[in-house]
Amino acid sequence: MEITNNYPKVQAGTPHFLMLPWLAPGHLIPTIDIARLLAEHNAAVTIITTPVNAARIKPTIDRSNAASAGNISLVSLYFPATEVGLPEGCENIDLVPSMPLVYNFCQATKLFRQQVSRYIRELAPRVSCIISGMGYVWAVDVAHELGVPCFIFHGFGSFALCCSEILHKTKEHEDEVLVPASSAEPFIISGLPFEFKITRKELPLHFPQSKEMKEIGEEMRSYELAVDGILVNSFEQLEPGYADLLQNLSGKKVFTMGPVSVCNTKMMDMEERGNKPTVSTHRCIQWLDSKKPKSVVYVSFGSTGSFAPKQFKELGLGLLASQWPFVWVIKDIEKLPEETLIWLRENFEDKNSSRSLLIKGWAPQIAILSHPAVGGFLTHCGWNSTLESVAAGVPVVAWPLYSEQFLNVKLIVDVLKIGVSVGAREAMAFRGDKEDGIRVWKEDVVKAIEKLMNGEEERKRVAQLKEKAEMALEKGGSSFLNLESLIQSVAP
Ligand code: UDP
């Protein structure tokens, strides 16, 4: 796919946002939605990324430009993957073959600065602001060299960011007496409006244990402290008071502007978002059309969530033992042994094809979630999936895996009460566990699904939030006004 890196023509007086989306699907996808919303609000946007990622997002940007004034430019610059020992084309976290190589990936993103700086030197007079992803630790220096503000987009919600700010400040989690590293002993994250206990085993990935990853964590923290503001994909009614608390804790201006996925109203945009689906959306819709309203459980663990064989099988047994039909999205299927694949074919595709639809690879998630047959979402509680579920009015069965997902579960299950927990107690390694053990049993899966699907309360509450989500982005809504205020704050 050819992308010509011309310098965008930005009209005098038009605010121009330079966006550097972090190279992970859960960041790239909402950043593109933010770009589209900014363009709808008449700002100019230039997105700088790498060839592999540019190819993934170009169709969405082309459609957006064709539908509106066409003021999103896409720039694709060389990414130095092989220079740091990564395979060629390893330009997104979902392509990093194993956890230890995440460190190399971070090194490559540091070298990427050279290409970006070279490109924007000429663009500089026309840039009003940089919006950059959580891992581009150098972005704030680049922005300040240009004399423009830098806003960070972590991809997390306000509640999770508040918890993270508190832990950085208090270091409660590092108290070896109160909270030994190996312990499952809960400790309190202080300063929240309610008593929130967490264990070290559930802590977000950006509070790492290994020496190398600690170094990266420290660089990220310095970057967070240096930025001029924080963009959050959320809306006031979903996390009441938490954007203000984040503003107080961080001392930075916070703009909540979500849920940004709501901008995908056309079927093509819902279908092809962040990647090409490995299944025809038409087939999914036909299958869903044959089911009763609110009877299907959609099962997916984000862009990278996958399990070792025993846990994978236990999940499958739980889905079969529950009484509901389900769509099961399976990532990294090539990592499963032959016998598991045979078991999968025999028990799901041969025997239970009318009750189960398997998607091996990338699913058209928001097209599925918005189908009236879907009544529950068994999710890892990645922040985008959480918001997309809310925007579709679908309650969740919460099975957090890693990153900040255990924090999101607290919000979903205990604060908002729009979901039921499967009872996962320990974060697993990013890109899957090495040990082939079971943390969540078949019975846990069945119990949580039955509770959610037979319950009314979670469904009622999430339906109310769906309405509020739509209102937030409508003219005059809180997210709409925050977007306007962001644009005005950088207007030339
Ligand atoms: N997604 C999708 N199809 C898939 C898997 C994920 O469209 O098969 C999208 C999903 O809609 C969401 C994003 O990828 O927008 C995943 O982000 P999330 O924060 O939920 O999880 P992460 O991948 O960052 O763990």
Side-chain angles (χ1 to χ4, degrees):
M1 179 178 313
E2 178 119 4
I3 295 165
T4 341
N5 290 334
N6 294 327
Y7 288 98
K9 293 186 188 69
V10 181
Q11 282 184 350
T14 303
H16 179 202
F17 289 83
L18 195 72
M19 300 187 88
L20 288 163
W22 179 235
L23 304 174
H27 294 251
L28 199 59
I29 291 171
T31 307
I32 303 317
D33 288 340
I34 295 174
R36 292 174 58 197
L37 288 167
L38 287 168
E40 276 174 25
H41 284 244
N42 300 316
V45 181
T46 299
I47 298 167
I48 298 187
T49 188
T50 76
V52 167
N53 294 292
R56 290 186 187 182
I57 59 178
K58 190 174 185 300
T60 308
I61 290 168
D62 286 346
R63 277 196 299 276
S64 167
N65 282 339
S68 63
N71 41 7
I72 304 180
S73 308
L74 179 60
V75 174
S76 164
L77 301 176
Y78 172 75
F79 186 72
T82 50
E83 280 82 337
V84 297
L86 293 170
E88 203 178 328
C90 183
E91 298 175 13
N92 190 300
I93 208 95
D94 68 357
L95 298 168
V96 177
S98 64
M99 181 62 192
L101 287 173
V102 169
Y103 179 77
N104 303 45
F105 186 75
C106 292
Q107 299 310 314
T109 62
K110 280 196 207 163
L111 297 178
F112 187 53
R113 174 182 180 164
Q114 288 169 19
Q115 332 290 329
V116 175
S117 293
R118 204 172 305 139
Y119 177 83
I120 59 178
R121 220 162 280 145
E122 248 186 75
L123 194 65
R126 283 156 286 177
V127 175
S128 318
C129 157
I130 291 184
I131 296 176
S132 73
M134 66 187 283
Y136 284 131
V137 292
W138 41 265
V140 71
D141 292 338
V142 172
H144 291 171
E145 276 162 25
L146 297 181
V148 298
C150 180
F151 295 102
I152 191 169
F153 176 62
H154 298 85
F156 298 166
S158 301
F159 175 73
L161 288 170
C162 284
C163 295
S164 173
E165 267 306 314
I166 292 169
L167 288 176
H168 275 301
K169 290 208 166 94
T170 62
K171 305 211 179 301
E172 279 151 337
H173 60 293
E174 285 180 8
D175 189 327
E176 282 294 337
V177 180
L178 277 177
V179 206
S182 58
S183 137
E185 202 55 42
F187 66 97
I188 293 173
I189 301 186
S190 55
L192 291 167
F194 65 98
E195 189 180 275
F196 176 14
K197 288 186 180 165
I198 191 166
T199 69
R200 265 174 105 159
K201 293 184 170 187
E202 300 169 324
L203 269 188
L205 200 66
H206 52 287
F207 291 97
Q209 311 293 338
S210 84
K211 193 172 146 267
E212 281 179 337
M213 292 312 282
K214 256 193 178 143
E215 175 195 311
I216 289 174
E218 277 160 21
E219 285 169 349
M220 282 198 192
R221 184 60 186 157
S222 307
Y223 163 46
E224 279 177 352
L225 289 172
V227 296
D228 302 287
I230 305 172
L231 305 195
V232 186
N233 181 12
S234 189
F235 59 105
E236 269 169 35
Q237 295 83 349
L238 183 71
E239 301 185 278
Y242 287 102
D244 287 344
L245 182 61
L246 178 61
Q247 200 154 283
N248 290 341
L249 289 165
S250 65
K252 316 241 174 237
K253 180 85 187 129
V254 174
F255 298 90
T256 55
M257 51 183 56
V260 296
S261 65
V262 168
C263 74
N264 297 283
T265 48
K266 297 205 180 86
M267 198 39 144
M268 270 307 283
D269 289 333
M270 291 189 182
E271 215 178 312
E272 193 181 345
R273 194 161 162 265
N275 230 327
K276 246 194 160 14
T278 44
V279 61
S280 117
T281 309
H282 179 68
R283 184 168 160 242
C284 294
I285 302 294
Q286 254 185 346
W287 187 90
L288 289 166
D289 281 344
S290 71
K291 305 289 175 267
K292 290 195 190 111
K294 304 200 187 321
S295 68
V296 173
V297 183
Y298 172 60
V299 184
S300 181
F301 296 88
S303 54
T304 49
S306 63
F307 298 106
K310 279 188 189 146
Q311 181 65 82
F312 178 81
K313 221 168 153 180
E314 198 69 15
L315 161 63
L317 290 171
L319 296 175
L320 284 179
S322 80
Q323 50 166 318
W324 307 89
F326 54 90
V327 178
W328 184 9
V329 186
I330 304 168
K331 296 279 183 291
D332 290 340
I333 194 147
E334 61 289 348
K335 288 191 189 159
L336 292 170
E338 189 58 27
E339 56 172 308
T340 311
L341 298 179
I342 294 170
W343 171 82
L344 200 60
R345 195 175 52 240
E346 287 177 355
N347 288 282
F348 295 81
E349 287 160 320
D350 295 347
K351 271 194 224 148
N352 282 300
S353 63
S354 72
R355 240 200 89 199
S356 69
L357 174 67
L358 304 193
I359 300 177
K360 299 165 188 167
W362 195 257
Q365 178 155 308
I366 55 174
I368 294 175
L369 277 175
S370 60
H371 194 285
V374 175
F377 182 8
L378 171 50
T379 166
H380 70 318
C381 304
W383 188 240
N384 296 292
S385 293
T386 304
L387 288 167
E388 289 159 16
S389 212
V390 167
V394 175
V396 311
V397 173
W399 183 338
L401 304 181
Y402 37 66
S403 193
E404 90 300 8
Q405 294 150 17
F406 286 84
L407 304 173
N408 298 341
V409 171
K410 192 74 188 172
L411 182 78
I412 293 168
V413 177
D414 295 339
V415 180
L416 298 171
K417 301 185 170 53
I418 55 167
V420 168
S421 161
V422 289
R425 294 273 169 265
E426 190 176 341
M428 61 185 234
F430 178 67
R431 305 309 320 255
D433 275 338
K434 275 200 216 86
E435 278 163 40
D436 192 8
I438 298 175
R439 295 170 197 269
V440 175
W441 297 87
K442 165 186 156 185
E443 292 74 20
D444 302 323
V445 175
V446 178
K447 206 166 126 200
I449 290 181
E450 293 305 329
K451 183 162 181 238
L452 185 88
M453 295 299 278
N454 291 312
E456 276 307 314
E457 289 306 309
E458 289 82 6
R459 199 174 302 287
K460 230 188 270 165
R461 281 191 210 100
V462 80
Q464 288 163 358
L465 282 174
K466 172 184 167 34
E467 265 179 42
K468 290 179 182 161
E470 281 158 10
M471 278 157 59
L473 276 158
E474 275 168 13
K475 203 169 175 183
S478 59
S479 294
F480 180 98
L481 294 175
N482 289 342
L483 258 166
E484 285 284 298
S485 125
L486 169 71
I487 294 170
Q488 271 159 24
S489 74
V490 303

